[in-house]
Amino acid sequence: VHLPGGQDETIRPLLTELRQEAERRQPGYRFRVSALCLAVVVQLVRRLQQHAAEEVANRPSRRAHLALHVREFLLKNLHRELH
């Protein structure tokens, strides 16, 4: 799955800190690495949810699509005689 803008100003610092913690291996680093991984997952889930909501909002609904076709039909046939 590709997430547009996945590594933004929110996630990039978390990844940097995650790498630094793993390299330094100071006391308690495993807990800190776990916490940072969780923070990254939370941010990605929030981004995915936002991205999905934007896609749904930008997708024309079936009702709007049908209304557009009805409008086009009416405008096209406005001047035709009724039998």
Side-chain angles (χ1 to χ4, degrees):
V1 174
H2 174 71
L3 182 61
Q7 286 193 31
D8 68 350
E9 66 280 350
T10 305
I11 294 175
R12 197 171 294 117
L14 293 172
L15 295 175
T16 300
E17 191 173 351
L18 177 66
R19 185 177 335 120
Q20 291 170 350
E21 283 289 334
E23 289 172 355
R24 288 188 207 138
R25 295 180 177 250
Q26 294 178 348
Y29 81 95
R30 289 182 186 194
F31 295 111
R32 184 66 180 138
V33 166
S34 294
L36 288 166
C37 286
L38 181 59
V40 168
V41 169
V42 167
Q43 291 301 320
L44 289 173
V45 168
R46 287 178 178 172
R47 180 72 48 77
L48 283 170
Q49 183 180 16
Q50 178 185 12
H51 183 69
E54 288 171 359
E55 278 190 2
V56 168
N58 292 334
R59 186 177 11 166
S61 69
R62 178 168 166 74
R63 202 175 285 167
H65 183 70
L66 181 60
L68 179 62
H69 281 292
V70 169
R71 179 181 174 268
E72 288 175 5
F73 176 82
L74 291 174
L75 289 174
K76 182 179 176 182
N77 295 297
L78 182 65
H79 299 292
R80 289 181 69 185
E81 287 185 30
L82 296 176
H83 297 288

